[in-house]
Amino acid sequence: MAKTPLMEQYKKVKDQYRDCLLFYRLGDFYELFYDDAVTASHELELTLTGKNAGAEGRVPMCGVPFHAAEIYIYRLIQKGYKVAICEQLEDPKKAKGLVKRDVIRVITPGTILFENSIADKSNNYLIYIMETDKELDAVLSDVSTGECWWGVWDKKKERDDFFDMLSVYSPAEAVCSVSDDFYSKLTGFASARLGACLMSRAEGEEEENLPEVCASIDNENVKTVFRRLSAYIRDVMKSEVSVFHSVLPIREDHTLTLSEECLRNLEITRNMRDGGRKGTLLELLDYTHTAMGARLLKRWLERPLTDVNRIILRQDGIEELTNHMTELTNLEDMLSQVFDFERILSRIEANSTSPKDLLALKASLRMIPEIKKLLSGAGSVILKKINAQIGIHGPVFDLLDRSMNENGTGNVRDGKYIKEGFSAELDEVRSLSENSQQYIADLEEREKTKTGIKLKIGFNNVFGYYFEISNANKIPIPPYYMRKQTLVNAERYITPELKEFEAKALTAKEKTEELELKIYQAVKAEIRPEIPDMQKTARALAALDCIASLARAALKDRYTRPRITNSREGRISIQDGRHPMVEHALKREMFVPNDTELNHHDQEILVITGPNMAGKSTYMRQVAVLTIMAQTGSFIPAKSASFSPVDRIFTRVGATDDISTGQSTFMVEMQEVSHILRHATRNSLILLDEIGRGTSTYDGMSIARAVVEYIDRKIHGFTLFATHYHELSVMADESSHIKNYTVSVKERGKEITFLRRIIPGCADRSYGIHVARLAGLPESLLKRADEILQGLEEEGNNPAPVKSAPEKQASSGLDLFTSPIIDELAHMDVMSKTPIEAMEILFRLSKEAKEGR
């Protein structure tokens, strides 16, 4: 016995999609068979059943309802599977023999478009990677928004930069046309660093026509990647429409390069605990009201600007909105009524949208004239430019307003999503369908009156509609009544009028569904030519949302506008700077602000000494975070500041063992330092924390000093160097570019208090045992540690503290405690403080002074 016709059809389809789980439509279910069924039943916790397959007997089978399939498909996509959707291509009622079926769409992690299937505030990237003799070429695409970025990397010199790009953007799917060796490296990297990224090899070298928006790219290899990516998307989505509306270089000129390690260490867009948004700079600044704006703000923070003019343009827009709070509030209210129509438009293009999406698009377009009216009074260049880029799209709104029913469910299955009055044909058919019960009731009453017979109208699937007359009520039957069925106690009849009604009524619902769907598809077809222009409007609204978000953050947290200069000398000058995330985390506690001065004249390198937990790392991160905020265009938490844009920010502020490659903490640290020394420039900001602590004291101190000297003599980048080796303070005597700073500490016996102030000078001792006491170690253990330390110092096994010049050394006790207070009072702008702020400062200084007695 051969396979059944159904299973033969299934096998033919499955053979073409071996790398996918095949969802095979059977009536109201998608069924999976063989290994697909075993896999899906395990991953989705479904009951595994069986089906007769002919000669093979019963084969594994499981299924999901077609109307609820999206949630099951989404769960499989999250686990890294591809899903092929095999649909019925004809009405089973009208089909002769086996229903025709074929795959209408393949859903992958990088091409999924289901509503709520991808994070609203994040991009969902698909990357195509091609390796040539000398280059690595890649195109990063977000199919859900129509955006694309491309890049080229030197295969030998820039491979680390390429992998770093993958970490920053963390694509959901990668298609690779590369050598076996490099594919092995990619899969290993993806497994260790990219989480659920689906890796696959490109099958063949099929190419699509080059998208028009890519015509200006002058790299032929990149054009080839675009053609191949277009072909891949076409084959997966089974659509000829273009999905590229915005194409930009990944390595854009005039942007600040931030590595994945830097973004992670500074917690710019992902925190160090679980990779989420909580506690990040992004969470702090995100007052956006649209998903489009939220995604763009994330990209702004990951790629700040180095172009002074562009930064100032953003600042001007933010300042204008902060000075017009009523307009800002009104704008926020309008933006809150704009849906994510950037992604809605992509779903329309891919024909995977719902009527609810078109209603959301209509609601969004309704707000645009009001937004443009508000922006018409803007004075800043950036707000005027955004206003010019926003289109009204009146014809599209008019079409949606006339066609889409706002009172419906927004679901195709429920019907009534096309508005009454849009189509006369639909209205007529719909009226018949909706009023059939009333018609039957009226007909029944008319026949009772006309014939004098007690009868009722019934219906079943075999005979359709009929008049039923019981034997007890049977009196002379009119000649136009035709007997249809005889029962024990009754007779069933039909009449020409009832038969005519039946023919219309039984097809009315089906015709209504067909007509509505046809009109719905026609509406989408009419919208599609306008999609590129509407995507431009969506991007302009996203930029406006970002400007408004940064303005709201500035108002809420009392941020000030930093001065951005194009000075060739370069400078980072911050007065009373505050770490924005730490300040928020403190809540009711007052954050102690600190000044920063970095320049190429006499303060290129700051060597910062002091105990653990005293605030060195917070201070260093603060400088970098404020720099990123400033170069994003944001206002910053500081009294005042001036920046010359930096080109790179490097952070070596914590390392752990890399178990996957068998590398120790110290090896990881040295590799990171090596990368910094090879790539940093005079215009870079470098943060180095505790270099050399992973090896012996003398080795560590030697390496730390050599690193500082190398930066001082070869690179001249702005550097914050935190260390426990207070002996390194002597370097300030040997270079005019190095200055010593320390964290002020108040001692009282064996107890210490960290004052969180960064002051000129250096620590003359370590405070490891003091910190251990704060951590709660047993007193007997601490006493023993004191004895061992004293013995080592007497025997000379511990390097003796190097005394600096008196004016460069911060003394302990009252002078050390009092100095920050005097300094703060001397530099305080009393007239700028509100009465409440002045009282808070006075209360704090009074409390600190009393504790110092």
Side-chain angles (χ1 to χ4, degrees):
M1 184 171 64
K3 287 187 178 70
T4 64
L6 182 71
M7 297 312 295
E8 285 283 2
Q9 185 189 63
Y10 170 84
K11 277 287 190 180
K12 287 180 181 178
V13 177
K14 177 62 182 175
D15 286 345
Q16 300 175 56
Y17 298 92
R18 294 179 181 275
D19 62 339
C20 302
L21 297 176
L22 183 64
F23 273 48
Y24 187 77
R25 180 74 178 271
L26 282 177
D28 290 338
F29 280 79
Y30 285 115
E31 303 288 2
L32 297 96
F33 301 102
Y34 299 98
D35 290 344
D36 284 4
V38 175
T39 299
S41 65
H42 173 73
E43 296 288 7
L44 300 176
E45 300 178 353
L46 300 173
T47 300
L48 187 66
T49 61
K51 183 174 179 63
N52 180 26
E56 296 177 281
R58 289 180 69 80
V59 299
M61 179 182 83
C62 70
V64 300
F66 86 95
H67 62 271
E70 283 191 8
I71 188 170
Y72 293 102
I73 294 171
Y74 173 51
R75 287 169 60 187
L76 290 170
I77 295 302
Q78 281 188 309
K79 294 173 182 288
Y81 294 99
K82 293 181 180 180
V83 175
I85 307 298
C86 182
E87 272 292 353
Q88 298 172 163
L89 302 183
E90 56 183 342
D91 187 341
K93 296 176 183 177
K94 300 177 181 178
K96 294 181 180 180
L98 191 62
V99 176
K100 293 179 182 178
R101 294 179 177 86
D102 204 354
V103 171
I104 61 165
R105 168 94 220 258
V106 176
I107 301 170
T108 70
T111 61
I112 188 168
L113 292 176
F114 296 154
E115 187 181 7
N116 302 322
S117 63
I118 44 182
D120 289 343
K121 295 188 174 184
S122 298
N123 285 95
N124 188 58
Y125 294 117
L126 162 67
I127 190 169
Y128 194 107
I129 303 167
M130 186 178 77
E131 179 185 18
T132 62
D133 291 340
K134 297 181 180 180
E135 293 180 357
L136 293 172
D137 304 283
V139 172
L140 195 70
S141 171
D142 186 339
V143 175
S144 71
T145 65
E147 299 166 290
C148 269
W149 295 266
W150 59 271
V152 178
W153 291 262
D154 185 288
K155 196 163 73 171
K156 292 183 178 178
K157 299 178 182 179
E158 298 180 314
R159 182 174 291 195
D160 289 344
D161 291 340
F162 175 79
F163 281 113
D164 187 68
M165 178 275 298
L166 290 179
S167 292
V168 171
Y169 293 101
S170 191
E173 180 182 359
V175 182
C176 309
S177 177
V178 299
S179 64
D180 291 342
D181 178 64
F182 191 56
Y183 185 71
S184 177
K185 288 182 172 62
L186 281 170
T187 53
F189 179 83
S191 176
R193 302 289 290 275
L194 300 185
C197 178
L198 175 63
M199 304 288 296
S200 64
R201 303 292 292 267
E203 297 181 2
E205 298 181 355
E206 186 177 1
E207 296 182 8
E208 185 63 66
N209 293 331
L210 185 71
E212 290 184 16
V213 291
C214 309
S216 61
I217 297 173
D218 58 5
N219 185 299
E220 289 302 320
N221 288 335
V222 172
K223 289 182 178 180
T224 298
V225 177
F226 267 108
R227 292 188 187 99
R228 293 184 181 180
L229 178 59
S230 297
Y232 175 79
I233 294 173
R234 181 203 64 204
D235 289 345
V236 166
M237 301 182 72
K238 307 297 181 184
S239 172
E240 298 294 332
V241 297
S242 171
V243 293
F244 302 141
H245 298 295
S246 171
V247 175
L248 295 169
I250 293 176
R251 308 167 89 180
E252 190 177 359
D253 292 339
H254 309 302
T255 58
L256 171 60
T257 302
L258 297 176
S259 67
E260 187 271 340
E261 174 197 350
C262 178
L263 291 167
R264 183 184 71 247
N265 286 334
L266 299 177
E267 299 190 295
I268 301 302
T269 56
R270 288 183 282 185
N271 65 44
M272 296 182 67
R273 295 184 301 281
D274 59 10
R277 289 166 55 101
K278 189 172 180 59
T280 63
L281 179 63
L282 175 60
E283 183 194 39
L284 208 61
L285 298 179
D286 189 0
Y287 290 93
T288 57
H289 288 79
T290 70
M292 304 175 291
R295 292 193 294 269
L296 182 60
L297 181 62
K298 182 174 183 287
R299 294 202 298 273
W300 277 13
L301 291 173
E302 289 173 341
R303 290 189 288 183
L305 303 172
T306 57
D307 185 304
V308 171
N309 293 327
R310 291 176 65 188
I311 296 172
I312 292 174
L313 284 176
R314 287 183 186 175
Q315 287 183 326
D316 289 344
I318 294 168
E319 184 169 56
E320 181 171 9
L321 290 178
T322 58
N323 290 334
H324 296 82
M325 293 181 60
T326 300
E327 285 77 6
L328 173 60
T329 302
N330 291 338
L331 176 60
E332 290 172 324
D333 181 61
M334 294 173 192
L335 289 171
S336 68
Q337 299 177 62
V338 174
F339 291 82
D340 190 359
F341 73 89
E342 188 175 38
R343 280 184 168 160
I344 289 172
L345 293 171
S346 292
R347 290 201 290 272
I348 292 173
E349 260 190 329
N351 202 27
S352 62
T353 188
S354 68
K356 184 171 66 174
D357 284 330
L358 295 194
L359 289 171
L361 177 58
K362 171 187 167 182
S364 301
L365 295 179
R366 178 184 284 120
M367 297 310 304
I368 289 179
E370 293 186 44
I371 292 173
K372 288 184 69 67
K373 182 179 179 181
L374 186 146
L375 292 179
S376 65
S380 60
V381 172
I382 193 168
L383 294 183
K384 288 181 177 179
K385 183 178 180 182
I386 288 173
N387 193 25
Q389 292 171 340
I390 297 174
I392 294 179
H393 312 291
V396 175
F397 174 78
D398 179 63
L399 173 64
L400 294 172
D401 190 44
R402 289 185 292 109
S403 63
M404 302 309 297
N405 179 22
E406 292 180 340
N407 298 319
T409 65
N411 193 309
V412 171
R413 293 193 305 273
D414 298 334
K416 297 186 180 180
Y417 50 88
I418 300 299
K419 186 182 288 187
E420 187 176 347
F422 184 71
S423 166
E425 183 183 7
L426 175 61
D427 290 347
E428 181 182 352
V429 178
R430 182 185 282 164
S431 175
L432 180 60
S433 175
E434 292 176 352
N435 299 324
S436 60
Q437 293 303 314
Q438 184 61 47
Y439 180 88
I440 287 173
D442 292 344
L443 177 60
E444 188 176 287
E445 287 301 316
R446 288 202 309 271
E447 288 299 318
K448 284 179 182 179
T449 303
K450 183 177 178 180
T451 63
I453 300 173
K454 188 176 180 181
L455 52 77
K456 64 179 180 180
I457 296 179
F459 175 84
N460 66 36
N461 290 327
V462 177
F463 296 106
Y465 285 99
Y466 53 80
F467 289 109
E468 183 171 302
I469 304 173
S470 67
N471 292 337
N473 292 313
K474 191 184 297 184
I475 59 176
I477 304 298
Y480 60 89
Y481 272 60
M482 293 173 284
R483 184 181 287 109
K484 192 71 175 177
Q485 184 182 15
T486 299
L487 304 179
V488 175
N489 299 316
E491 297 280 353
R492 290 176 175 174
Y493 300 87
I494 61 172
T495 68
E497 184 180 4
L498 185 60
K499 200 64 181 174
E500 182 182 355
F501 165 76
E502 179 184 273
K504 292 181 178 179
L506 291 181
T507 59
K509 187 174 186 302
E510 185 178 334
K511 283 185 176 179
T512 299
E513 292 174 355
E514 291 177 356
L515 267 176
E516 275 204 286
L517 187 59
K518 182 180 178 181
I519 293 168
Y520 175 54
Q521 299 290 11
V523 168
K524 290 192 293 184
E526 196 169 338
I527 291 173
R528 284 194 184 101
E530 306 300 320
I531 286 178
D533 287 339
M534 285 194 285
Q535 288 285 20
K536 292 177 182 177
T537 294
R539 288 192 291 274
L541 288 172
L544 177 63
D545 200 10
C546 287
I547 297 292
S549 177
L550 295 176
R552 180 57 64 188
L555 288 168
K556 186 174 176 60
D557 292 312
R558 297 179 294 112
Y559 294 167
T560 58
R561 175 175 178 167
R563 183 167 173 261
I564 307 296
T565 67
N566 211 4
S567 170
R568 291 184 178 180
E569 288 300 313
R571 185 187 185 195
I572 296 176
S573 180
I574 305 168
Q575 185 179 3
D576 286 346
R578 313 185 305 274
H579 192 300
M581 293 92 88
V582 175
E583 183 178 42
H584 259 251
L586 289 176
K587 295 180 180 177
R588 295 190 176 184
E589 295 181 48
M590 182 173 288
F591 185 91
V592 178
N594 276 295
D595 297 345
T596 303
E597 180 65 37
L598 288 165
N599 58 63
H600 291 303
H601 176 60
D602 60 358
Q603 287 207 159
E604 275 184 347
I605 301 175
L606 307 186
V607 176
I608 307 168
T609 52
N612 267 330
M613 301 295 294
K616 300 193 305 295
S617 294
T618 297
Y619 172 72
M620 294 169 63
R621 286 181 168 92
Q622 170 184 307
V623 175
V625 170
L626 297 191
T627 301
I628 290 171
M629 290 177 71
Q631 293 190 216
T632 300
S634 172
F635 289 12
I636 67 171
K639 183 178 179 180
S640 63
S642 178
F643 294 87
S644 296
V646 298
D647 60 358
R648 298 283 295 264
I649 295 180
F650 297 95
T651 59
R652 216 315 304 171
V653 292
T656 57
D657 294 343
D658 190 341
I659 298 174
S660 64
T661 59
Q663 295 176 332
S664 68
T665 299
F666 184 65
M667 174 58 79
V668 173
E669 176 185 310
M670 290 299 99
Q671 287 179 336
E672 290 177 355
V673 172
S674 173
H675 176 78
I676 292 170
L677 298 181
R678 282 186 284 113
H679 293 90
T681 72
R682 186 174 186 270
N683 295 319
S684 299
L685 175 61
I686 305 168
L687 275 58
L688 298 172
D689 191 9
E690 306 298 350
I691 295 298
R693 63 182 171 183
T695 184
S696 71
T697 301
Y698 287 123
D699 276 357
M701 191 185 306
S702 302
I703 292 171
R705 176 162 182 162
V707 167
V708 174
E709 290 178 349
Y710 186 91
I711 294 172
D712 180 39
R713 296 169 185 171
K714 302 284 188 180
I715 300 175
H716 298 285
F718 295 139
T719 305
L720 302 177
F721 188 92
T723 181
H724 280 121
Y725 301 132
H726 47 269
E727 296 82 4
L728 297 181
S729 59
V730 296
M731 290 188 294
D733 298 328
E734 300 166 2
S735 171
S736 61
H737 293 139
I738 300 175
K739 291 293 180 290
N740 289 323
Y741 280 79
T742 188
V743 185
S744 55
V745 177
K746 181 183 70 172
E747 292 187 62
R748 183 185 295 168
K750 292 186 177 182
E751 295 183 1
I752 60 173
T753 302
F754 303 132
L755 303 180
R756 313 293 183 191
R757 292 288 291 180
I758 306 297
I759 60 174
C762 67
D764 60 357
R765 57 175 298 188
S766 296
Y767 292 86
I769 295 176
H770 296 77
V771 174
R773 180 170 282 106
L774 288 175
L777 269 63
E779 191 60 36
S780 59
L781 182 153
L782 297 170
K783 183 177 180 182
R784 175 58 182 151
D786 267 326
E787 293 172 356
I788 295 171
L789 177 62
Q790 185 177 354
L792 289 172
E793 288 177 342
E794 289 175 355
E795 294 174 12
N797 290 333
N798 197 40
V802 179
K803 300 295 183 181
S804 300
E807 64 272 17
K808 292 186 178 182
Q809 182 175 356
S811 61
S812 62
L814 185 60
D815 289 341
L816 183 59
F817 171 58
T818 307
S819 176
I821 298 177
I822 295 174
D823 180 66
E824 185 173 350
L825 288 170
H827 293 87
M828 185 182 298
D829 184 0
V830 178
M831 298 305 295
S832 69
K833 304 296 181 185
T834 66
I836 292 178
E837 288 174 336
M839 289 176 67
E840 287 178 348
I841 294 170
L842 184 60
F843 177 79
R844 174 174 56 79
L845 295 179
S846 174
K847 182 180 178 183
E848 291 178 357
K850 289 175 183 176
E851 290 176 350
R853 285 202 292 263

